[in-house]
Amino acid sequence: MDKKIIDLGTINLQISSDALDAIIIKSTAPITIKKDTLEFNVKSFKTKKDANVEDLLKQLPGVEIDEEGNIKVNGKEVNKILVNGKPFFGDDPTITTRNLTKDIVEKIQVLDTKTKDQAFTGATADGENKTVNLVIKEENNKGDFGRLAAGKGTDKHYEFAGMYNHFDNDQRVSVLAGGNDINSPGFSFGEIRKMFGGGNSVRFNGNGSFSIDGRSFGGGQGITESQNYGANYADEYGEGKDIAANYFYSGSSSENRSKRDRENILSDSRYFASSNSSSFSDNESHSANVEFDVKVDSTLLINFEPSFSYTKSKNYYSEDESSTNDSNALINESTSNSNVENIGKNFSSDLDITKKFGSNGAFIKFSFDNDIRTRELDDYLVSKTNIYGDSPEEINRNQYTEGENKVNNFRSNITYRLPLVGKTFFLEFKYGYTRNKQQDRRSTFDKEDPEAEYYTVFNNELSTDFEYINEMSTPALELEFKNEKISARFETTYVFRTLENNDILRPTLSLKRNFEAIEFRSRFRYKFSDKASMRMGYNLDNNPPQLSQLQPFLNVSNPLNTVIGNPNLVPQNNHRVYASYNTFDFQKGSGFYGYLSANFDNNKVVSKTIIDEDLVRETTYDNVNGSYNVNGYLSVNKKVKVDSLRTVTFYLGVGPSIRKSINFNNGVKYSSTNNSASPNVGLRFNWKDVLEFNPNYRMSFTRNTFDLEAFENQEFVSHSLNLNTATFLPKGFEWRNDMRYSYNPNIADGFQKSAWFWNATLAYSMLKDKGTLTLKAYDLLNQNTNARRIATANYIEDSQSTVLQQYFMLSFSWKFNSLGKAGETGGGSRYYRH
């Protein structure tokens, strides 16, 4: 059937300008570079719908986040997280990254970390650290959000945590609480992340330490039960006036048992020491911090930050130790039991006043810092020391020590910046004055009779009453040049320092020393492009001996090791040269980073110990020359996009170092050279919403050589393999694994040389993704160990201590959010699908 064609001719349409506006298509680039600020548009990076900020950061090119939540951008560490340009809940970045959700953030900005006065005046930062600023969507600046979680496990293990936040534009109120008995510190909230289906935050380092959420907790040893509470308030009261305040409480109880075997190397012989110890401690602390920022006008800024803290601790420690010679004959042995209680009170305040002049960057800045600390000590000690041999001796002590330590530090600085050429060349005049005063008193009492109830006999030999003063004046000049590609700074300082020690109990031992020195700092940065830059610099620092190293007081608190200072010590000069180069294509996610640093020490202060036939040590201090340390790091990253859903990132790194040390061994001076390297290789495979796979292998090699024939050269090699996986299963399930294998063949017999450490988490999302049920398995193979070996020129030590062992835990978490659209939609579907 033929179709009839009808010709309508030309039809003219009239469209108003308003209609045209309605059909304009706007888009935002995923990555924008604005001078020194790198800006990511959050909408351009897809994650699961309920992702937190840490999940989002992991998707950004050039950003690396380890298991503890430490962040690096293009090889530079991130040391500050801001929300809309302001701090959020103190200085712990993981509170921000693991508890704020991605859906409230509009942009992520990365820039060089600056102090408040640098940001106000436009002064250049050193660029060694980065700041991440989260720009919150305007509609999400009002409402409530937070999370609650609790878990119960085998062997009576438990954990609970919660956080509530209220945003009302500039006003923010946050409250958090938590507690557990699984070695998790308080405010990093790493365990909450696991409850919400995240990865395991406990990392076994293989060297006797645990790193949990970026912090070393409990010294890496023992079992700790903790409770933590905190609150944060921030607001803007009037134009240019900001206030932020927070309060934290932390309480913990820890216990640990350890075993150590040490082979001590002398220039003409060797001896062996073994010890077993146990410790129990209870600690609690309160801290409150306030920040006031007052921008009086466009040229005057005042910052005031007072801080208060109170700590109380009770510690019980016992140890049995024995020493034998190379013929296995017992030379000495000792037992000790101590019960110590400490109470500390601290107050500090920082006041900065900055005034700008003109428009070319001139300013004057005044800084006043004060730090007042007191510590009270009650120490009960019972010990017995037996020294065998030709002159046998038995030393018994049953003592009480009452101590008090007071510290009053004051620092003031004035800086005047004068533009020499426009906004590119500056001269700064600086002057600083510092006075640190410390009073340290310890009164030790013995019992008149072993059966007596009270300690009444003053022990002058073991008591101290010192007053230390460290006073310093530092005039300085600095030149700075900067433009779009070059930034260079050169600063020279002349140091006038007075060290004074007044011995109240022994006035003849009082001393006063004056030191003068020149210090120098320089830094140069060249920016080849937005993707590549280099840095280099040279620093000369002068550090005086510590007063405890100078004072000729004979410390006999340890019968097997008496210590006496050397009043003839001179200051140490440290020369440091460094250079780095990095290039990174943020669009492609690939780059290179290289770093080299060399330190040379003149007149370095080292300990000098003489050991007699009974293995009793007498230690003093001396200056030595010839020490140096050269270290570097190289890393290469390459990201390959398989398709729109799958990417693979390869990375290779190595950190070589050479260190030469000058020391004394039983009075004989010697040098040792330590060569080490730790190559590592790995990859990250990401299949969006399906699988994450991240294996990493590291080998650590160490070689020690000595210029004394009595010392044998040493070589140590250890291996570690890490595997982190995340599998996103249907029906809202998520399965994560954190596996580590460590092998150290150099560990002595009787200590565990290898172990698999495997944590696993299975999470199920429910209640429209507001609730998560999680089953966690810690140390699934029950092989956790912290056996380690430490090797120096003077000794080789193997040790092992209490560790947290296998447990299983079932947890439930619930989150709420009434910010902007999230409060209206209830969270929506779980993932963005492609």
Side-chain angles (χ1 to χ4, degrees):
M1 179 178 179
D2 294 336
K3 295 183 179 179
K4 186 176 182 181
I5 299 176
I6 302 175
D7 186 1
L8 298 178
T10 301
I11 301 176
N12 295 319
L13 299 177
Q14 291 185 348
I15 304 177
S16 68
S17 59
D18 293 341
L20 284 174
D21 287 341
I23 62 173
I24 289 177
I25 299 175
K26 297 180 180 180
S27 64
T28 304
I31 302 174
T32 305
I33 298 176
K34 301 178 180 178
K35 293 185 178 181
D36 292 331
T37 300
L38 183 68
E39 187 172 277
F40 298 93
N41 177 29
V42 171
K43 287 184 178 180
S44 301
F45 300 92
K46 304 303 182 183
T47 63
K48 58 182 181 180
K49 181 75 173 182
D50 60 344
N52 59 23
V53 171
E54 183 177 283
D55 296 325
L56 172 62
L57 290 173
K58 289 180 178 180
Q59 302 300 319
L60 305 184
V63 178
E64 299 177 20
I65 303 180
D66 63 19
E67 293 90 340
E68 292 82 37
N70 300 314
I71 307 169
K72 286 186 177 181
V73 178
N74 202 9
K76 298 293 183 181
E77 292 187 3
V78 172
N79 66 340
K80 187 181 293 186
I81 301 283
L82 303 176
V83 177
N84 281 351
K86 299 177 182 179
F88 178 73
F89 225 123
D91 297 325
D92 188 345
T94 58
I95 294 181
T96 304
T97 59
R98 291 175 173 174
N99 290 279
L100 293 185
T101 55
K102 174 229 178 183
D103 52 15
I104 70 170
V105 181
E106 183 176 20
K107 299 176 183 177
I108 293 181
Q109 298 173 335
V110 179
L111 59 158
D112 290 341
T113 296
K114 288 188 174 184
T115 61
K116 291 180 179 179
D117 58 274
Q118 286 176 331
F120 181 66
T121 61
T124 305
D126 59 21
E128 293 299 314
N129 298 107
K130 294 292 184 180
T131 291
V132 170
N133 180 44
L134 307 177
V135 181
I136 304 298
K137 298 177 183 179
E138 186 175 353
E139 67 268 23
N140 284 338
N141 270 323
K142 195 166 187 177
D144 305 285
F145 67 98
R147 303 184 177 189
L148 299 172
K152 186 68 176 177
T154 56
D155 296 327
K156 298 182 179 180
H157 287 302
Y158 72 93
E159 61 181 345
F160 67 89
M163 187 176 192
Y164 165 78
N165 304 274
H166 173 75
F167 280 14
D168 188 356
N169 296 316
D170 292 320
Q171 185 183 86
R172 301 174 190 166
V173 179
S174 301
V175 179
L176 57 78
N180 65 82
D181 66 346
I182 52 174
N183 281 12
S184 179
F187 297 108
S188 290
F189 268 45
E191 292 303 303
I192 281 190
R193 184 169 69 107
K194 286 189 284 183
M195 292 182 187
F196 292 175
N200 294 279
S201 63
V202 180
R203 179 181 181 183
F204 175 63
N205 295 323
N207 62 355
S209 67
F210 282 93
S211 296
I212 309 175
D213 295 329
R215 296 180 179 178
S216 178
F217 191 65
Q221 301 176 355
I223 307 297
T224 299
E225 182 176 8
S226 62
Q227 300 83 37
N228 307 275
Y229 309 95
N232 182 78
Y233 174 80
D235 200 358
E236 182 176 323
Y237 57 103
E239 185 176 354
K241 300 179 180 65
D242 294 331
I243 183 174
N246 59 66
Y247 164 79
F248 294 106
Y249 166 81
S250 177
S252 65
S253 298
S254 303
E255 62 175 298
N256 180 52
R257 291 176 174 81
S258 63
K259 173 186 177 183
R260 300 177 186 272
D261 288 338
R262 175 181 289 193
E263 178 182 357
N264 298 277
I265 307 169
L266 304 181
S267 58
D268 56 357
S269 63
R270 301 192 177 200
Y271 72 95
F272 303 86
S274 298
S275 68
N276 290 279
S277 64
S278 62
S279 63
F280 304 89
S281 65
D282 289 305
N283 306 277
E284 63 174 328
S285 67
H286 304 261
S287 67
N289 308 278
V290 185
E291 295 182 30
F292 297 97
D293 296 333
V294 180
K295 189 176 180 181
V296 180
D297 54 40
S298 61
T299 66
L300 180 60
L301 176 66
I302 301 174
N303 309 114
F304 180 53
E305 298 182 12
S307 178
F308 311 84
S309 69
Y310 171 88
T311 60
K312 183 177 181 180
S313 66
K314 295 180 180 180
N315 302 278
Y316 173 78
Y317 181 81
S318 65
E319 181 180 30
D320 297 322
E321 184 177 4
S322 63
S323 298
T324 59
N325 61 18
D326 49 9
S327 299
N328 203 31
L330 184 62
I331 303 301
N332 60 56
E333 59 182 345
S334 65
T335 61
S336 65
N337 294 274
S338 65
N339 192 348
V340 183
E341 181 173 336
N342 281 283
I343 296 178
K345 302 172 185 177
N346 300 340
F347 168 76
S348 65
S349 63
D350 299 339
L351 174 64
D352 296 333
I353 303 173
T354 307
K355 173 68 176 179
K356 296 191 295 185
F357 302 98
S359 59
N360 287 334
F363 69 84
I364 187 169
K365 176 188 173 184
F366 300 92
S367 297
F368 306 93
D369 303 333
N370 191 228
D371 184 15
I372 300 173
R373 302 193 301 267
T374 62
R375 184 171 66 91
E376 299 174 359
L377 167 76
D378 289 305
D379 184 357
Y380 294 88
L381 172 68
V382 178
S383 67
K384 179 178 180 181
T385 302
N386 286 305
I387 301 174
Y388 306 105
D390 297 334
S391 303
E393 183 181 7
E394 182 177 301
I395 303 172
N396 292 292
R397 291 179 175 175
N398 187 346
Q399 299 167 334
Y400 164 69
T401 299
E402 177 209 7
E404 184 178 36
N405 180 270
K406 295 181 179 180
V407 175
N408 192 337
N409 297 334
F410 174 77
R411 297 173 296 275
S412 63
N413 294 276
I414 181 172
T415 301
Y416 175 67
R417 190 185 201 195
L418 175 67
L420 298 179
V421 179
K423 297 181 180 181
T424 61
F425 195 29
F426 303 90
L427 173 64
E428 287 190 9
F429 301 91
K430 299 181 179 180
Y431 176 77
Y433 172 77
T434 301
R435 189 176 191 271
N436 298 334
K437 181 180 179 180
Q438 179 176 338
Q439 296 171 283
D440 193 355
R441 178 186 59 80
R442 292 198 174 201
S443 300
T444 299
F445 298 88
D446 297 315
K447 289 184 176 182
E448 186 173 4
D449 182 277
E451 303 300 325
E453 183 178 357
Y454 299 104
Y455 301 86
T456 56
V457 180
F458 182 75
N459 189 321
N460 188 75
E461 187 180 31
L462 293 177
S463 299
T464 59
D465 194 352
F466 299 117
E467 181 182 78
Y468 309 100
I469 297 176
N470 179 358
E471 192 170 27
M472 185 169 59
S473 296
T474 54
L477 286 175
E478 179 180 305
L479 286 172
E480 179 182 5
F481 175 82
K482 63 177 182 177
N483 58 26
E484 291 185 358
K485 289 186 173 294
I486 298 175
S487 173
R489 302 183 73 173
F490 304 91
E491 178 183 355
T492 181
T493 304
Y494 199 84
V495 180
F496 300 90
R497 188 191 303 268
T498 298
L499 293 181
E500 185 175 356
N501 174 44
N502 297 313
D503 192 328
I504 311 302
L505 290 180
R506 307 167 187 85
T508 57
L509 300 183
S510 298
L511 61 86
K512 185 175 182 179
R513 298 284 304 275
N514 294 314
F515 301 100
E516 294 183 17
I518 292 178
E519 294 186 332
F520 182 77
R521 292 179 178 273
S522 64
R523 185 176 73 247
F524 175 81
R525 180 178 69 174
Y526 184 79
K527 189 175 181 180
F528 297 97
S529 66
D530 292 333
K531 299 178 181 178
S533 64
M534 64 164 291
R535 301 172 187 267
M536 62 177 60
Y538 165 73
N539 295 339
L540 168 61
D541 294 316
N542 182 267
N543 299 303
Q546 298 178 15
L547 279 166
S548 60
Q549 297 171 331
L550 280 171
Q551 61 185 17
F553 163 67
L554 185 64
N555 186 338
V556 295
S557 57
N558 183 352
L560 297 178
N561 184 22
T562 59
V563 181
I564 185 171
N566 179 2
N568 298 315
L569 294 175
V570 297
Q572 169 183 321
N573 285 320
N574 173 260
H575 303 264
R576 177 176 178 248
V577 182
Y578 63 92
S580 67
Y581 173 79
N582 69 79
T583 176
F584 201 93
D585 190 323
F586 286 93
Q587 301 288 349
K588 297 180 179 179
S590 303
F592 167 83
Y593 175 73
Y595 175 82
L596 181 67
S597 174
N599 291 272
F600 302 90
D601 297 317
N602 294 329
N603 294 318
K604 184 177 181 179
V605 178
V606 299
S607 60
K608 183 178 181 181
T609 301
I610 302 294
I611 304 176
D612 64 17
E613 296 81 1
D614 296 322
L615 303 182
V616 176
R617 306 181 298 278
E618 182 175 306
T619 300
T620 186
Y621 304 93
D622 205 349
N623 292 109
V624 297
N625 291 317
S627 299
Y628 64 82
N629 180 21
V630 180
N631 63 84
Y633 187 75
L634 300 174
S635 67
V636 179
N637 293 268
K638 177 65 176 179
K639 187 174 183 179
V640 178
K641 189 173 183 179
V642 180
D643 53 36
S644 61
L645 295 178
R646 292 172 293 180
T647 59
V648 181
T649 302
F650 302 92
Y651 53 93
L652 173 68
V654 61
S657 71
I658 302 174
R659 183 177 70 251
K660 183 178 181 180
S661 302
I662 309 297
N663 287 292
F664 292 91
N665 183 275
N666 208 16
V668 178
K669 183 187 288 188
Y670 71 95
S671 67
S672 62
T673 303
N674 175 281
N675 299 283
S676 65
S678 300
N680 68 91
V681 61
L683 64 86
R684 287 188 294 271
F685 174 74
N686 188 309
W687 186 348
K688 185 69 68 178
D689 301 340
V690 177
L691 178 67
E692 294 176 6
F693 181 73
N694 181 12
N696 174 270
Y697 167 75
R698 178 185 297 272
M699 181 183 74
S700 297
F701 169 80
T702 302
R703 175 179 171 82
N704 294 325
T705 58
F706 311 96
D707 66 353
L708 280 181
E709 293 183 0
F711 291 175
E712 297 179 0
N713 295 337
Q714 305 164 344
E715 291 188 2
F716 301 96
V717 180
S718 62
H719 308 265
S720 65
L721 176 66
N722 289 277
L723 177 61
N724 298 308
T725 69
T727 306
F728 306 102
L729 304 172
K731 306 295 185 181
F733 283 96
E734 187 172 304
W735 180 33
R736 291 184 179 264
N737 292 277
D738 178 11
M739 289 174 277
R740 179 185 179 94
Y741 174 73
S742 61
Y743 175 64
N744 188 349
N746 307 293
I747 295 293
D749 295 337
F751 293 86
Q752 191 169 337
K753 298 184 178 183
S754 65
W756 278 98
F757 188 66
W758 182 5
N759 296 332
T761 303
L762 180 64
Y764 173 66
S765 296
M766 59 181 67
L767 303 177
K768 296 182 179 179
D769 294 330
K770 292 182 179 180
T772 303
L773 186 66
T774 305
L775 176 63
K776 296 181 298 181
Y778 178 88
D779 188 18
L780 192 60
L781 300 179
N782 201 23
Q783 294 187 18
N784 190 14
T785 177
N786 64 356
R788 63 176 175 175
R789 167 163 286 194
I790 300 175
T792 71
N794 296 325
Y795 67 86
I796 301 173
E797 180 182 88
D798 296 291
S799 64
Q800 193 165 330
S801 62
T802 304
V803 295
L804 185 64
Q805 295 183 329
Q806 182 189 80
Y807 69 85
F808 299 86
M809 183 173 292
L810 186 65
S811 307
F812 178 75
S813 66
W814 176 72
K815 64 179 181 179
F816 54 92
N817 185 357
S818 66
L819 295 177
K821 295 179 180 179
E824 301 171 7
T825 61
S829 60
R830 186 164 189 251
Y831 297 111
Y832 285 109
R833 294 295 180 184
H834 299 271

